[in-house]
Amino acid sequence: MAAQQQKRNIVIVGGGIIGCTTAYFLTRHPKFDPAQHTITLLEASSIAAGASGKAGGLLALWAYPECLVPLSYRLHRELADEHNGAERWGYRQVGCGTIGAVVKNTDLKARGQGTSASTTSDLKEPNGTTAAAPNAHLPIQAEDEKISKDWEKLPKQDVAATSLLSKSVLPPDLDWVDASLVRSWDVMGRRGETETAQAHPFHFTNAMADLAAAKGVDIRLGAKVTNITSSSSSAPNGRVDTVEYQDRNNNDEIKSITGVTDVILTAGPWTGKILPRSKIEGLRAHSVVYEAEVSPYAVFTDIELPSDWTPEHRRVKGQKRKHRGHVDPEIYARPFGEVYACGEPDKTIPLPETADQVQCDEDQCNDLISYIATVSPILASAPVKAKQACYLPQHVRFGEERGPLIGQTSTPGLWIAAGHTCWGIQNGPATGLLMSELIFDGQTKSADIDKLDPKKFKV
């Protein structure tokens, strides 16, 4: 009991959804005492500057890992009820499913999107073969590699999720997709697990930060952590003791927090930079945000495109298509007059030092816009308010994604909650609640997350 009531000086590293929900739930734990417990959150740029501000915000009972999902989905609803989430961060239920669509050259011509056939049909060699278009030798990056490359999905749907698809007809209110092109509509879910909801990730993350700050959490922005040290002389068994950070708002002055009892690493993909043995990596993903008010659906797509079609922005550069005729962007209607869409991931640009330095490849965003325009005339004419990129945090072992790490590392007082891939917003509340239980109770009470224990992976 004495250990549970000891004074704690807790430092959270990272101001994304995991860090902010952890701060929130620490201040709501029954044993939290602001007279004895100090909580500081250090964020290298701004709240929700990375994936937490540029994600889709999908919440689903069919998400993964199963040990987190039911608890977190319930907590989302409870948080929205308690803090007016419907208005504050757009919490709501949405329909969800996958469309299979076939787009032909005639469909594209009818919309004035054209086809690469028009630029190559007149370039016939004497033997009947098609000559290269002007400047076709110019690479996208490595042209041969890109032409033969299959479209890559974001890791949103695992095998278990795909098995939940059940056939249905296209809902009549899903009127922002061209029904004449749709060959199939599969609803996501099964009895008791059909629910899908959403939250606007940027607003939700900032709301959690504000609510934590209102309970006494000291949030320091522009604070890039540079070192975490332990002291065997001032703390037993080499416990964490000091956190040093670079104050980017004050001429990069190095500052430190001493007497630290607990450090919680919630820095998303940057967790791997702070603690390399965690094997947390970043997977870059591009997305676009439209200004459009449409019916509330999250739509996964499987779009078959003409083999000779190239988006206009590629064609004018003499570039060829970069897929084999199938693409599957994800499109989410969102509250506040938005539609969010994301495309395939890539690892072409290494993770930068901070979230505000993330580079966006505009051509990849334009690819996404072009593909979506083939099946949605409404979005084809909608203004695009953002083209952006972020890095999804993955826990990778032996080349495979292993799910998040949540718990204490082999260093006493050093905790980790990172590696949530696409499901950080969905699983943020459960992670925050479970971290508060680990800190104040020494064990989790709300869910069994033994398989996510960092020590199982020698972290």
Side-chain angles (χ1 to χ4, degrees):
M1 181 64 67
Q4 294 176 345
Q5 299 302 323
Q6 68 176 335
K7 289 187 176 181
R8 303 192 92 109
N9 185 5
I10 304 166
V11 175
I12 301 170
V13 182
I17 187 60
I18 306 301
C20 291
T21 51
T22 296
Y24 171 89
F25 280 103
L26 283 170
T27 62
R28 267 67 181 178
H29 193 282
K31 294 176 182 174
F32 173 70
D33 180 358
Q36 291 199 83
H37 305 136
T38 301
I39 304 174
T40 306
L41 187 151
L42 303 178
E43 164 53 44
S45 49
S46 58
I47 297 298
S52 295
K54 298 178 175 64
L58 196 64
L59 316 174
L61 280 171
W62 44 265
Y64 59 87
E66 292 182 1
C67 58
L68 291 178
V69 169
L71 171 63
S72 208
Y73 193 85
R74 173 174 61 80
L75 289 172
H76 269 290
R77 183 175 61 250
E78 293 175 357
L79 288 169
D81 289 343
E82 182 177 355
H83 299 294
N84 193 21
E87 292 186 14
R88 195 166 183 177
W89 58 80
Y91 177 84
R92 66 180 183 180
Q93 299 287 309
V94 294
C96 184
T98 296
I99 62 167
V102 177
V103 180
K104 299 179 180 179
N105 278 323
T106 53
D107 302 314
L108 295 169
K109 288 179 180 179
R111 294 196 187 139
Q113 289 175 272
T115 170
S116 60
S118 63
T119 65
T120 61
S121 59
D122 296 329
L123 301 175
K124 295 292 183 179
E125 296 289 352
N127 62 3
T129 59
T130 302
N135 299 320
H137 64 284
L138 294 176
I140 295 176
Q141 285 181 1
E143 187 65 46
D144 291 339
E145 175 188 350
K146 289 295 183 181
I147 293 173
S148 63
K149 173 179 171 295
D150 281 327
W151 178 272
E152 295 180 16
K153 289 186 178 183
L154 285 165
K156 188 64 66 66
Q157 297 182 72
D158 61 1
V159 174
T162 303
S163 70
L164 298 180
L165 293 171
S166 57
K167 289 192 177 299
S168 178
V169 296
L170 192 65
D173 61 335
L174 183 47
D175 54 2
W176 44 274
V177 174
D178 187 345
S180 69
L181 305 177
V182 176
R183 301 295 183 265
S184 65
W185 165 254
D186 297 322
V187 177
M188 183 67 75
R190 63 179 174 227
R191 183 184 292 269
E193 294 188 4
T194 57
E195 278 195 29
T196 305
Q198 68 181 172
H200 193 295
F202 181 82
H203 296 307
F204 178 58
T205 305
N206 274 274
M208 291 294 100
D210 291 343
L211 290 166
K215 290 288 188 177
V217 174
D218 179 7
I219 298 179
R220 303 182 188 181
L221 304 181
K224 178 187 174 186
V225 170
T226 56
N227 197 21
I228 299 171
T229 61
S230 59
S231 173
S232 58
S233 60
S234 62
N237 303 320
R239 291 185 61 90
V240 294
D241 180 68
T242 302
V243 176
E244 296 179 353
Y245 66 93
Q246 182 184 55
D247 187 348
R248 301 177 69 204
N249 297 321
N250 190 24
N251 298 317
D252 293 336
E253 179 183 349
I254 299 298
K255 297 182 178 179
S256 62
I257 302 175
T258 58
V260 174
T261 58
D262 303 275
V263 177
I264 309 173
L265 298 180
T266 65
W270 286 274
T271 302
K273 286 183 173 288
I274 300 171
L275 188 67
R277 69 176 187 263
S278 68
K279 304 296 183 183
I280 302 293
E281 301 177 358
L283 180 68
R284 189 172 70 156
H286 285 80
S287 58
V288 297
V289 181
Y290 299 88
E291 292 182 16
E293 191 76 55
V294 300
S295 55
Y297 280 91
V299 178
F300 297 91
T301 69
D302 180 3
I303 305 171
E304 180 182 329
L305 297 171
S307 61
D308 59 353
W309 181 72
T310 300
E312 177 65 18
H313 68 281
R314 297 283 185 187
R315 191 162 65 245
V316 298
K317 296 180 181 181
Q319 297 174 346
K320 298 182 180 179
R321 61 187 174 89
K322 52 176 292 188
H323 57 83
R324 286 180 173 174
H326 278 85
V327 295
D328 52 9
E330 302 171 12
I331 314 170
Y332 310 149
R334 289 210 302 207
F336 313 130
E338 291 185 356
V339 175
Y340 171 95
C342 54
E344 64 178 342
D346 71 79
K347 292 187 176 182
T348 57
I349 305 296
L351 184 72
E353 287 299 310
T354 53
D356 54 330
Q357 297 173 352
V358 171
Q359 298 180 36
C360 173
D361 182 342
E362 188 167 0
D363 277 342
Q364 289 201 47
C365 290
N366 288 335
D367 287 338
L368 189 57
I369 292 168
S370 298
Y371 300 148
I372 291 171
T374 66
V375 296
S376 178
I378 289 178
L379 295 181
S381 62
V384 175
K385 63 188 295 185
K387 298 177 182 179
Q388 58 195 17
C390 64
Y391 286 79
L392 305 175
Q394 290 185 303
H395 171 218
V396 179
R397 297 276 169 166
F398 307 111
E400 295 183 6
E401 200 280 313
R402 298 286 183 174
L405 295 172
I406 302 175
Q408 186 166 217
T409 70
S410 56
T411 301
L414 181 61
W415 308 79
I416 186 171
H420 293 70
T421 60
C422 293
W423 292 113
I425 301 298
Q426 150 66 37
N427 291 325
T431 303
L433 174 62
L434 294 167
M435 281 305 310
S436 73
E437 293 175 351
L438 287 169
I439 293 292
F440 285 123
D441 300 323
Q443 61 182 346
T444 60
K445 297 181 177 180
S446 300
D448 181 359
I449 56 169
D450 182 66
K451 69 177 186 178
L452 307 181
D453 185 351
K455 290 189 287 295
K456 286 184 178 293
F457 300 94
K458 299 181 179 181
V459 177

